[in-house]
Amino acid sequence: MARTNPKIETAIPSWPAREREAHKGDFGRVLLIGGSRGMAGAIALSGMAALRAGAGLVTVATADRCLETVASFHPAYMTIPLADDTHGMIADPLLQAIAYQLDHTDALAVGPGLGRSASLREMVTGLYRALPRPLVVDADGLFALSPLELTTTHNGAPRVLTPHLGEFERLVGQEFGDRDSAEAAAMTFAAEHRVILVLKGAGTLVTDGSRAWRAKTGNPGMASGGMGDALTGILAALLAQGFEPWQATTLGVHIHGLAGDFAAREFSPPAMTAVDLIEHLPDAIKKVYGR
């Protein structure tokens, strides 16, 4: 791989104020795909975060047996049941039940709580290659994109991948001895595969290969389950609202970390949860909204 070394930025994009006459259709339709038996909460957290991050309409498509559980988390997003297998995972690789939603969504995210199967790998790789709209891939969605040779091409629509270090190592088939080496490889990977890559961790790095941005928000209390699911929903919401993909990703990572900082102040890092972070998204957004 050829190495790229862009200067690392830290500036925060602005969030434009909304027009007084705006309606929900102006702020995007988000479709989230995930959840399986035992992991329904993951995609529910993504849906809750997408609502808090300003999406006009949020729909969660999940395994049929998880539908009522997912729907119970929040009354403001819609839910769609997808055929599932005996393990409680989505079993429709062509997503025929949501063909209309796929054609009319403004941004899609896949992965939280999804589970792992051959059918799901087919589904995720199909979306990655062909979906003509912005796509965020996280968690088990990233697992489905491995091995890497399956995912070297897509149609040019925005693709945002959000791995932590272990997931990134799986994507590239290599282990890294230190964070600097991993970040250098992330920049090269993003350039070669035409994606925006969010390498999560302390000092999260966002890169598209030609640019790199470092998060200055976040804290150790965010090292717990569900935090990445919340980020997935935030990023999908900002992309659906029409933010340019680089701005959506850097702003989303910033407010995610800032909401985590507010939650840590209230509850302490050991005691905070992903739900606490989502409930503090309004505080984080106030810091940048209309700036």
Side-chain angles (χ1 to χ4, degrees):
M1 290 186 182
R3 294 286 182 181
T4 56
N5 295 287
K7 180 181 177 181
I8 295 180
E9 308 167 6
T10 57
I12 310 304
S14 61
W15 191 322
R18 293 186 167 188
E19 296 292 335
R20 188 173 183 83
E21 297 80 11
H23 57 83
K24 62 187 177 185
D26 294 328
F27 302 115
R29 294 170 171 82
V30 169
L31 177 61
L32 305 168
I33 302 175
S36 58
R37 184 178 182 182
M39 296 190 291
I43 199 65
L45 289 168
S46 299
M48 293 163 64
L51 291 169
R52 280 296 192 190
L57 292 165
V58 177
T59 301
V60 180
T62 191
D64 191 358
R65 72 188 64 196
C66 299
L67 185 76
E68 284 75 18
T69 300
V70 172
S72 71
F73 275 77
H74 206 290
Y77 56 62
M78 297 167 282
T79 52
I80 301 175
L82 297 174
D84 53 14
D85 60 20
T86 57
H87 300 289
M89 297 184 292
I90 295 167
D92 178 8
L94 300 181
L95 295 172
Q96 296 171 327
I98 56 171
Y100 177 86
Q101 286 77 14
L102 288 172
D103 287 338
H104 292 84
T105 191
D106 296 299
L108 186 146
V110 62
L114 189 65
R116 300 175 182 181
S117 70
S119 177
L120 290 170
R121 174 168 287 181
E122 180 182 352
M123 181 190 79
V124 174
T125 54
L127 289 170
Y128 180 85
R129 290 171 175 166
L131 186 76
R133 278 165 287 284
L135 173 67
V136 182
V137 185
D138 183 37
D140 286 332
L142 294 168
F143 183 90
L145 292 184
S146 302
L148 181 60
E149 56 265 24
L150 293 176
T151 63
T152 53
T153 59
H154 62 79
N155 62 6
R159 299 290 182 258
V160 181
L161 310 185
T162 62
H164 55 60
L165 179 59
E167 290 167 334
F168 180 61
E169 289 177 334
R170 178 176 173 81
L171 277 176
V172 300
Q174 178 182 350
E175 293 185 2
F176 300 99
D178 56 71
R179 180 79 181 184
D180 289 344
S181 298
E183 291 185 353
M187 295 178 195
T188 301
F189 178 94
E192 291 186 350
H193 298 282
R194 297 179 298 150
V195 301
I196 296 175
L197 192 134
V198 180
L199 186 60
K200 297 185 291 194
T204 291
L205 182 82
V206 178
T207 181
D208 63 2
S210 63
R211 293 172 288 186
W213 179 91
R214 173 89 61 202
K216 296 295 185 182
T217 56
N219 63 83
M222 295 170 66
S224 66
M227 298 293 178
D229 305 320
L231 177 61
T232 296
I234 293 167
L235 295 178
L238 295 179
L239 287 164
Q241 288 171 74
F243 284 85
E244 183 272 331
W246 179 257
Q247 291 182 322
T249 308
T250 54
L251 179 59
V253 171
H254 173 74
I255 63 172
H256 176 257
L258 187 56
D261 291 342
F262 278 113
R265 288 174 200 154
E266 180 173 355
F267 298 106
S268 81
M272 63 182 282
T273 69
V275 173
D276 301 323
L277 182 149
I278 292 168
E279 290 179 350
H280 278 286
L281 276 172
D283 300 309
I285 292 170
K286 286 177 187 178
K287 288 283 189 179
V288 297
Y289 178 67
R291 192 177 48 166

